[in-house]
Amino acid sequence: MTTVEQPPIGFGRMHRKEDARFVRGRGTYVDDVVLPGMLYGAVLRSPFAHARIVSIDTAAAQAHPRVKAVITGQTLEGLKLAWMPTLSQDTQAVLATDKVRFQGQEVAFVVAEDRYAARDALELIDVEYEPLPAVVDARRALDPDAPVIRDDKEGQADNHIFDWGAGDEAATDAVFASAEVVVAQDVLYPRVHPAPLETCGAVADFDAVTGKLTIWCNTQAPHAHRTVYALVAGLPEHKIRVISPDVGGGFGNKVPIYPGYVCAIVGSIVTGKPVKWMEDRSENLMSTGFARDYHMRGEVAATRDGRIRALRVKVVADHGAFNGTAQPTKFPAGFFHVFTGSYDVEAAYCGVTGVYTNKAPGGVAYACSFRITEAAYLIERMIDVLAYDLDMDPAQLRMKNLLKPEQFPYPSPTGWEYDSGDYPRALSLALEMAGYEELRAEQAARRASGSDGPLMGIGISFFTEAVGAGPRKHMDILGLGMADGAELRVHPTGKAVLRISVQSQGQGHETTYAQIVAEELGIPPDDVDVVHGDTDQTPFGLGTYGSRSTPVSGAATAVVARKVRERARQVASAMLEVDPGDLEWEKGRWYVRGDQGQGRTIQEIALAAHSSLELPDGVEGHLDATTVYNPPNLTFPFGAYICVVDVDPGTGQVKVRRFVAVDDCGVRINPMIVEGQVHGGLADGIGMALMELIAFDEDGNCLGASFMDYLLPTSMECPSWELGETVTPSPHHPIGAKGVGESATVGSPAAVVNAVMDALKPYGVRHADMPLTPAHVWRAIQGRPLRTDLAIT
Amino acid sequence: MKITVTVNGDERTADVEPRLLLVHFLRDTLGLTGTHWGCDTSNCGVCVVWLDGKPVKSCTVLAVMADGHTVRTVEGLADGATLDPVQQGFVRCHGLQCGFCTPGMMMTARWLLDHNPDPSEDEIREAISGQACRCTGYENIVRSVRWAASHEREVAPR
């Protein structure tokens, strides 16, 4: 029987405060919001990947008795809203005016009395298209004869978006020129989708009398959305209130602003009524932020005995038709340049070229920590390719090259400063938990037996994450620095309200943030209410993604609680009639140094702070504080993962037998919640490695646009996870905690793929791209691996 | 057309279009928003409720098909203020995060335990295999159901 100990205060395993409403069906998700007079919107989408719009006839839809408005790109042009800015300083069509650029693109918006009528009316809109050739293969996007997708942009004569590089190219080339061994491998991280179980949606309510726009929207970044709406719609920011209620999973899918939100706002302005827009699953998969789609060529320079000397990577990044990736402004390839991973190398360089294709926009999503999924997958695949070529054990090869604890803080060759780490300890623990030597012996015995039973594979992945964006000097989104605010009020009776700028989508913030306050102030977590998601009620900040909540907002919470603690010291000194300098803190109480019995609890102090007690000059009374936390650096959690698979050589079916995951995220605020985060991320790894794919045919038809084709792992594909932990605190973080939410998604796919490649080693298979479906594995065994991203191979 | 459905013990009557899905009848017509809607191809199972004592995906049932029948939803799981052991198990074993799949998962788990009071891990995994969860990696859902099974056998031996 599993039970969870409930500590009275502070860090530790504590059941979630959120659960009480969720297990009763009493959560409030956006589609649960019903306002008086509310109407329903639906989006008409393009059947073509690339086509000129000749005409749009909305007369029949407008004549539908239950339809209140039909909005087209032409309507929006009049409001200067046909295009909107993206989080990457590009533009994106809200409703297409000139042509459509991906299948599923938004073309018209209908507002009707209910959701069924809205869908009916979509059928009545007649759009005439003139189809154009589609750009589907990112590696052909810059061919001279490739059709130009973004002919709306002045000066855009091809499909090139950006070139970006990091590291020392000349130094890297020099090492490669003198290296004993060079291995190279093309590695595709195919397009996948975060697919939160709750799709994207909004209820927009514009009040013409007050001029106030309220938007209920399941966004991960409500404050950033508010600012962008102000910029896009020209509305004053204090007249916009974004409320992100309970969110049914985000996984990065709910960071960007989607055309549906803008259409709902316009629909509300036009009709004078609240308008709900809720997309369905195929719309979510076809048109909202995808993830990955990096075509990478990795190279490793090494010595013959397996010492890694340099790394070189070239990437073609498929960004779809509009550059809508969400990442800090100065980093168009996110944090991909942490691709040197956990290894001590002399030099490294990466060059990334972003291109337009006729696909949905996105790229940064699905727990990627701004492209670190791609970086970690590449390096961990390349290590195994090197091990394959040198015929070395991949665990030994890693151990030989891992950074050592004494090297931290470690300046990486591409410009990072890793905060802390004890990598050999984590890898040793994972190897021990897995029984690595015994597994290798079992594998050798199976191979030697010559049986035609399942092929056994063992895969390792050791990753370093970089989370907690970030220092505002280097990191901003659309000019908004990536700091986060926090506000804490202690009521007269000692109960507290914490207001934060980040927005949970299931990560348990309402519980863990109360635990941070409890740890710092000694107020029990149940006495601390955590308010988030409402921009009228919470301080400004950039929201939850990139595992940044604990590193940035968690730090802000500790800092604001310490400010309150200092105020409490002043009040206590007045109560006890001693100098503040003579007071000592123990959890929940200030007492007189040398006289433990003379003290006041935080609850007593709270009451006194609101009373008629005379306070020294400059002490305002009440017990509250605000802060803005600007992190000095990111946090760098790490982990060692080992996956064991059995592969049926006759069918190519992969069965994940075991998965061992050792994570180190520094101090664990609530180990129960950390473990749940890791479990979820490991399932993502199984999904991406074995099942999930958004593919396209040569016409640009999206082939992963429903759960019939876009396969999510179920309880049957996931093994029972085996978790371990080490604790290496972040030295710069107020409570020593690092982010962790995305670690498992970042680290696990390589472990699964490395395991399958290890199983196929007797067949001479060095690499095959994800997802390793039975057909793909079977083809690889036959020596004919597929290219997985296109249906035309 | 006019239909009468017994939902969580209450008779509910409404005039609905024949094409209305049961999930929308529960959510939009009756305001029982604990049941969710997550896909359009009957795969995800966040809409699972009981129809005449059996779990069904309510996105794949017409409301008119429930006319004269009984439906049980997540709102009918607790006995007043006392949570069902399955609900308690999900809280104690951290079997939920965003909470979106939770109502459907719990309805299936309740049905499983009514018919198999001591399910193995494999039996639990198979029972929930028609339902996706994006947050938990399933591990703690299995543990939650196991907890409920052990707990209710202790409380009321069968």
Side-chain angles (χ1 to χ4, degrees):
Chain A
M1 185 194 294
T2 309
T3 55
V4 181
E5 293 302 313
Q6 182 130 14
I9 226 156
F11 296 169
R13 293 176 184 273
M14 173 185 153
H15 300 142
R16 297 200 327 162
K17 298 164 70 141
E18 294 89 335
D19 292 355
R21 61 181 188 274
F22 291 157
V23 299
R24 288 173 170 87
R26 295 284 296 274
T28 304
Y29 302 88
V30 67
D31 200 20
D32 303 341
V33 174
V34 177
L35 301 177
M38 188 175 78
L39 303 171
Y40 291 81
V43 172
L44 181 73
R45 295 177 182 277
S46 167
F48 293 104
H50 201 189
R52 201 159 297 288
I53 295 176
V54 179
S55 64
I56 304 178
D57 181 355
T58 62
Q62 260 157 342
H64 188 289
R66 310 198 68 189
V67 165
K68 298 294 179 189
V70 181
I71 295 159
T72 64
Q74 213 175 6
T75 325
L76 295 183
E77 252 173 357
L79 302 163
K80 295 196 169 28
L81 284 175
W83 293 81
M84 64 180 183
T86 69
L87 298 177
S88 298
Q89 285 98 14
D90 196 5
T91 49
Q92 176 175 355
V94 177
L95 294 176
T97 49
D98 50 346
K99 61 180 191 178
V100 289
R101 293 172 172 84
F102 68 91
Q103 188 185 49
Q105 190 183 334
E106 300 79 1
V107 174
F109 188 73
V110 167
V111 181
E113 287 171 5
D114 67 67
R115 53 179 110 223
Y116 285 61
R119 296 273 163 165
D120 286 344
L122 294 184
E123 307 282 326
L124 302 174
I125 299 174
D126 190 16
V127 185
E128 191 185 334
Y129 295 99
E130 181 186 302
L132 300 167
V135 180
V136 180
D137 185 345
R139 288 179 292 190
R140 309 292 305 275
L142 298 180
D143 287 359
D145 59 345
V148 178
I149 298 167
R150 297 301 302 276
D151 49 358
D152 58 292
K153 292 179 79 174
E154 214 173 291
Q156 181 83 37
D158 56 20
N159 295 317
H160 181 265
I161 307 175
F162 66 86
D163 284 307
W164 185 83
D168 187 333
E169 190 167 21
T172 305
D173 290 348
V175 177
F176 269 88
S178 68
E180 291 174 1
V181 177
V182 171
V183 300
Q185 179 64 53
D186 283 328
V187 176
L188 167 69
Y189 207 133
R191 179 175 283 232
V192 289
H193 196 284
L197 276 186
E198 181 205 32
T199 58
C200 299
V203 179
D205 183 15
F206 180 72
D207 184 329
V209 176
T210 60
K212 182 127 183 173
L213 173 66
T214 304
I215 311 159
W216 297 74
C217 177
N218 49 16
T219 170
Q220 297 175 222
H223 291 276
H225 274 217
R226 184 190 67 200
T227 305
V228 174
Y229 288 135
L231 297 172
V232 172
L235 290 166
E237 198 168 353
H238 66 300
K239 293 287 190 187
I240 303 175
R241 179 184 185 188
V242 178
I243 303 172
S244 185
D246 292 324
V247 180
F251 312 107
N253 187 231
K254 294 168 178 169
V255 175
I257 289 181
Y258 294 118
Y261 306 156
V262 179
C263 289
I265 293 168
V266 173
S268 180
I269 292 173
V270 167
T271 61
K273 304 271 190 190
V275 173
K276 177 182 281 184
W277 168 71
M278 201 72 215
E279 69 189 3
D280 66 24
R281 176 56 54 192
S282 66
E283 296 179 284
N284 177 256
L285 288 168
M286 267 180 128
S287 71
T288 64
F290 73 91
R292 326 289 188 252
D293 219 344
Y294 260 32
H295 300 256
M296 305 179 278
R297 181 170 181 79
E299 292 177 283
V300 183
T303 61
R304 259 184 284 277
D305 62 354
R307 174 92 193 110
I308 301 165
R309 297 189 57 208
L311 298 164
R312 198 162 54 189
V313 190
K314 288 277 180 218
V315 180
V316 175
D318 185 339
H319 282 231
F322 309 102
N323 187 22
T325 56
Q327 78 271 298
T329 306
K330 290 174 193 161
F331 302 93
F335 300 160
F336 181 79
H337 53 307
V338 6
F339 72 94
T340 60
S342 315
Y343 309 104
D344 191 5
V345 297
E346 293 165 43
Y349 180 78
C350 67
V352 183
T353 298
V355 298
Y356 290 120
T357 59
N358 287 113
K359 302 174 191 171
V364 168
Y366 207 173
C368 77
S369 309
F370 304 120
R371 300 290 188 185
I372 298 179
T373 30
E374 290 89 326
Y377 178 67
L378 178 85
I379 180 67
E380 289 307 298
R381 197 74 272 289
M382 291 310 298
I383 298 285
D384 267 38
V385 167
L386 179 65
Y388 179 98
D389 283 9
L390 296 177
D391 200 23
M392 279 185 74
D393 179 274
Q396 282 170 17
L397 180 60
R398 285 182 172 81
M399 202 58 102
K400 187 180 190 119
N401 287 284
L402 285 177
L403 290 163
K404 300 190 172 40
E406 58 272 20
Q407 287 178 273
F408 293 87
Y410 166 73
S412 93
T414 51
W416 300 96
E417 186 180 285
Y418 297 5
D419 56 352
S420 64
D422 189 342
Y423 297 173
R425 185 163 61 123
L427 181 54
S428 300
L429 176 59
L431 294 170
E432 188 189 313
M433 284 173 64
Y436 186 72
E437 296 306 323
E438 293 80 7
L439 288 171
R440 283 291 175 206
E442 181 191 346
Q443 183 185 48
R446 278 218 218 174
R447 282 180 182 169
S449 75
S451 114
D452 56 2
L455 308 163
M456 177 180 171
I458 307 156
I460 305 174
S461 165
F462 194 104
F463 65 92
T464 298
E465 262 269 48
V467 298
R472 53 187 288 181
K473 192 166 103 184
H474 307 297
M475 293 173 190
D476 67 271
I477 288 189
L478 289 180
L480 305 169
M482 299 187 78
D484 277 87
E487 183 190 317
L488 179 61
R489 290 184 209 162
V490 184
H491 297 323
T493 56
K495 317 291 182 188
V497 175
L498 174 75
R499 296 166 193 277
I500 53 173
S501 57
V502 292
Q503 171 61 357
S504 180
Q505 316 118 47
Q507 299 93 329
H509 292 166
E510 290 170 36
T511 303
T512 51
Y513 278 67
Q515 289 183 274
I516 297 173
V517 173
E519 185 69 15
E520 296 293 336
L521 281 183
I523 297 174
D526 283 342
D527 289 351
V528 183
D529 209 22
V530 178
V531 177
H532 57 96
D534 182 340
T535 58
D536 270 8
Q537 296 213 40
T538 56
F540 188 86
L542 282 206
T544 295
Y545 42 84
S547 300
R548 64 187 300 280
S549 292
T550 294
V552 192
S553 181
T557 298
V559 167
V560 82
R562 287 170 194 180
K563 281 190 171 184
V564 167
R565 198 163 74 198
E566 276 312 296
R567 173 86 65 84
R569 184 211 285 259
Q570 302 295 330
V571 177
S573 89
M575 293 170 79
L576 294 162
E577 296 177 346
V578 296
D579 189 85
D582 292 335
L583 292 175
E584 290 275 333
W585 174 257
E586 64 178 359
K587 205 178 283 181
R589 186 169 175 271
W590 284 108
Y591 67 91
V592 180
R593 185 178 300 116
D595 186 0
Q596 199 94 6
Q598 274 270 66
R600 292 290 182 271
T601 65
I602 190 77
Q603 288 82 4
E604 290 165 343
I605 296 168
L607 191 56
H610 292 84
S611 73
S612 57
L613 173 75
E614 199 166 321
L615 294 169
D617 286 349
V619 179
E620 289 179 318
H622 295 190
L623 204 50
D624 51 34
T626 63
T627 199
V628 176
Y629 188 78
N630 175 32
N633 189 5
L634 278 68
T635 65
F636 295 77
F638 55 93
Y641 291 176
I642 298 176
C643 178
V644 185
V645 298
D646 291 305
V647 180
D648 183 331
T651 63
Q653 178 83 39
V654 176
K655 170 85 185 158
V656 177
R657 192 205 302 179
R658 289 180 61 197
F659 203 113
V660 172
V662 172
D663 274 279
D664 188 324
C665 56
V667 170
R668 294 189 170 203
I669 298 163
N670 184 329
M672 178 191 85
I673 284 180
V674 171
E675 288 159 12
Q677 293 280 287
V678 173
H679 290 162
L682 296 176
D684 292 348
I686 301 276
M688 287 182 283
L690 302 180
M691 307 165 70
E692 299 177 28
L693 177 67
I694 303 278
F696 293 85
D697 71 9
E698 59 193 329
D699 296 323
N701 290 305
C702 178
L703 305 180
S706 84
F707 283 165
M708 303 297 279
D709 302 299
Y710 192 81
L711 304 179
L712 301 179
T714 72
S715 49
M716 304 301 278
E717 285 78 42
C718 293
S720 185
W721 316 107
E722 301 168 56
L723 305 193
E725 69 172 276
T726 57
V727 177
T728 312
S730 172
H732 66 75
H733 189 274
I735 56 172
K738 302 182 181 185
V740 69
E742 297 169 318
S743 284
T745 313
V746 163
S748 58
V752 182
V753 173
N754 285 348
V756 177
M757 292 304 110
D758 185 52
L760 303 191
K761 197 177 174 189
Y763 293 87
V765 179
R766 189 200 205 209
H767 175 77
D769 285 324
M770 299 186 282
L772 297 168
T773 58
H776 189 26
V777 171
W778 188 83
R779 287 274 300 245
I781 290 173
Q782 314 300 314
R784 295 180 292 131
L786 290 159
R787 186 173 162 191
T788 53
D789 59 326
L790 297 174
I792 49 179
T793 24
Chain B
M1 64 181 274
K2 203 167 179 184
I3 61 170
T4 300
V5 186
T6 304
V7 182
N8 301 327
D10 295 335
E11 275 199 5
R12 309 292 296 264
T13 299
D15 195 10
V16 302
E17 286 188 67
R19 63 175 175 170
L20 184 72
L21 298 174
L22 180 59
V23 65
H24 289 138
F25 174 72
L26 294 170
R27 291 180 50 79
D28 293 348
T29 312
L30 303 186
L32 294 169
T33 54
T35 302
H36 297 138
W37 185 58
C39 76
D40 36 28
T41 47
S42 309
N43 297 88
C44 81
V46 303
C47 62
V48 166
V49 300
W50 289 12
L51 180 61
D52 293 339
K54 274 191 198 155
V56 295
K57 291 178 174 175
S58 63
C59 76
T60 310
V61 176
L62 295 169
V64 293
M65 293 162 69
D67 183 26
H69 296 265
T70 62
V71 170
R72 188 183 185 194
T73 70
V74 64
E75 289 90 348
L77 209 46
D79 181 7
T82 307
L83 292 180
D84 185 275
V86 166
Q87 291 170 305
Q88 292 178 39
F90 272 70
V91 174
R92 294 186 72 97
C93 302
H94 191 33
L96 67 150
Q97 293 180 29
C98 80
F100 206 71
C101 77
T102 312
M105 287 286 185
M106 293 191 307
M107 294 312 290
T108 296
R110 182 65 268 158
W111 184 87
L112 173 69
L113 295 184
D114 285 353
H115 293 79
N116 180 357
D118 187 19
S120 67
E121 169 166 350
D122 285 349
E123 286 169 332
I124 296 169
R125 284 182 181 272
E126 193 175 345
I128 60 169
S129 63
Q131 291 169 265
C133 169
R134 296 296 279 155
C135 296
T136 66
Y138 304 101
E139 175 91 21
N140 287 346
I141 293 179
V142 174
R143 289 184 194 168
S144 302
V145 181
R146 289 290 312 153
W147 186 93
S150 317
H151 184 76
E152 57 196 10
R153 280 203 319 283
E154 273 168 28
V155 173
R158 283 159 203 257

